[in-house]
Amino acid sequence: MYLNREEDNNKGSVALSVFLVSLAVTVCAVWLVALCGVCGWCQRKLGKRNKPGVESAGTPDSTRGRGEKKAINRNMGNKPANSPKGQPPDADGHSSVSDLANSLTGDMVMLSPGSDEDHEGPVSEKLGRIQFSVGYSFQDSTLTVKIIKGQDLPAKDFSGTSDPFVKIYLLPDKKHKLETKVKRKNLNPHWNETFLFEGFPYEKVRERTLYLQVLDYDRFSRNDPIGEVSIPLNKVELGHNQTFWKELKPCSDGSGSRGDLLVSLCYNPTANTITVNIIKARNLKAMDIGGTSDPYVKVWLMHKDKRVEKKKTVTIKRCLNPVFNESFPFDIPAHVLRETTIIITVMDKDRLSRNDVIGKIYLSWKSGPAEVKHWKDMLSRPRTNVAQWHALKA
């Protein structure tokens, strides 16, 4: 009887100890939860980790390349826009009003062709090169120029090719010129044509500069300059035939300084549309006598060699740095994208005569290097306005 009472007392003590330990653990847990509830820092940390679809400003996914300038992305659902220059977004995941004002427009990615650095203008386009030979016959007083071939010429036609030929001058004489044959649809033409300048005394030859201009033949309009090469003949040993490879440079007749145009493209694969946004131009060539222009922009949608649809901006009077900010959507089914070209032409409006062409841009997957890059960047970033500067061409 005494032993049973002692066992009951021991069991009661153990049960009491277990209860007290459980009570202490529960009190500690409640105290920790209360402490974390008071601490806003913990709440924000836990909220950031657990909230799906939200990226912090410093994560790798929130910053892309250095060459991209991004504004607020309103088409990405719950994902907030990335703040520029590393500044954190506000509580709603959006950039500040001042950051938005500094951007070009919403949903825009600013790109620089051919470079990862942050440039605000077009890069110089490679124009290809030309091979030719020069020699002089003292016996016949004849200068011989042979145009051999061209290599890696840029496409000047919206079909993605060119019809190149070469004009040959002995400067400063511009009245007399010789020309090669036109090589149809060829960016690596072989001419192998020889030209003779007869009856030229050696002393006069050394005073001349050999000037070669490569052009793209156009049956319906003015021929488009591709590039030029000049070589003073007093720097050439004319006693024996010499062969040269020369890189083509932009033509100095004004075709290389027609100004630049900032254009953005947005491809929507769901709606099968491409939206062309004509943003602004700078340093346009003055086409009027008063040293200015009245520019407007025409946008042609081309399928193969056929014109499908045309749209144009308003005219900005007497301005060489106009701001347009006009958008034009075009319906383009996915299966014709590779055969589509968008031709953008900056015009000078003239009330008394025919409107003048200031410069053009051909955008497609087979245009020049800068244009092709813009086209591919547009396709790789659907539903995003991809902006890029382009140098206007003749």
Side-chain angles (χ1 to χ4, degrees), residues 257-268:
S257 57
R258 294 176 175 268
D260 308 316
L261 185 67
L262 181 60
V263 179
S264 78
L265 302 175
C266 180
Y267 175 55
N268 189 329

Side-chain angles (χ1 to χ4, degrees), residues 154-335:
K156 304 296 285 187
D157 300 334
F158 55 79
S159 59
T161 184
S162 292
D163 303 318
F165 69 100
V166 183
K167 288 183 179 181
I168 304 150
Y169 298 87
L170 289 181
L171 300 180
D173 181 14
K174 289 187 176 181
K175 293 182 179 180
H176 302 91
K177 67 178 184 298
L178 300 173
E179 296 182 1
T180 67
K181 296 178 181 179
V182 177
K183 295 297 180 180
R184 300 284 182 178
K185 295 179 173 59
N186 199 331
L187 301 181
N188 296 281
H190 286 70
W191 288 287
N192 288 318
E193 296 184 44
T194 301
F195 302 88
L196 303 178
F197 294 86
E198 299 177 332
F200 253 98
Y202 181 69
E203 293 77 12
K204 289 189 176 181
V205 169
R206 288 181 58 82
E207 296 174 356
R208 301 299 178 96
T209 295
L210 176 64
Y211 175 76
L212 308 178
Q213 185 182 40
V214 183
L215 300 103
D216 169 52
Y217 174 77
D218 196 322
R219 184 170 53 177
F220 300 107
S221 63
R222 181 184 177 187
N223 298 326
D224 296 325
I226 294 178
E228 67 181 16
V229 168
S230 60
I231 177 170
L233 293 179
N234 60 2
K235 297 183 179 180
V236 179
E237 181 58 47
L238 297 174
H240 59 278
N241 202 61
Q242 293 196 49
T243 301
F244 301 90
W245 269 111
K246 292 290 185 179
E247 298 287 332
L248 293 174
K249 299 179 180 179
C251 293
S252 57
D253 60 354
S255 61
S257 57
R258 294 176 175 268
D260 308 316
L261 185 67
L262 181 60
V263 179
S264 78
L265 302 175
C266 180
Y267 175 55
N268 189 329
T270 304
N272 285 328
T273 60
I274 291 180
T275 301
V276 180
N277 185 12
I278 307 299
I279 302 174
K280 60 182 178 179
R282 64 184 181 191
N283 303 325
L284 294 181
K285 183 178 180 180
M287 305 298 288
D288 299 335
I289 298 177
T292 185
S293 293
D294 301 322
Y296 69 97
V297 181
K298 291 192 304 184
V299 184
W300 270 105
L301 174 65
M302 309 289 296
H303 178 242
K304 294 184 177 179
D305 296 339
K306 297 181 179 179
R307 295 179 176 181
V308 178
E309 188 177 359
K310 182 186 78 169
K311 298 180 181 180
K312 65 179 182 178
T313 69
V314 299
T315 301
I316 309 296
K317 296 289 186 180
R318 295 181 292 279
C319 185
L320 299 180
N321 297 279
V323 177
F324 298 101
N325 278 329
E326 294 191 46
S327 297
F328 306 106
F330 294 95
D331 295 326
I332 305 175
H335 67 276

Side-chain angles (χ1 to χ4, degrees), residues 323-366:
V323 177
F324 298 101
N325 278 329
E326 294 191 46
S327 297
F328 306 106
F330 294 95
D331 295 326
I332 305 175
H335 67 276
V336 301
L337 270 176
R338 291 180 65 86
E339 300 171 342
T340 297
T341 300
I342 296 174
I343 303 178
I344 301 174
T345 306
V346 182
M347 304 287 296
D348 170 52
K349 189 174 182 61
D350 199 324
R351 289 186 301 173
L352 303 178
S353 63
R354 185 179 179 182
N355 297 335
D356 298 320
V357 175
I358 298 178
K360 296 182 179 182
I361 301 170
Y362 295 84
L363 296 173
S364 72
W365 71 275
K366 53 186 177 181

Side-chain angles (χ1 to χ4, degrees), residues 28-44 46:
C28 290
V30 172
W31 180 78
L32 288 174
V33 171
L35 180 62
C36 288
V38 175
C39 183
W41 182 85
C42 292
Q43 285 185 343
R44 288 194 298 271
L46 291 173

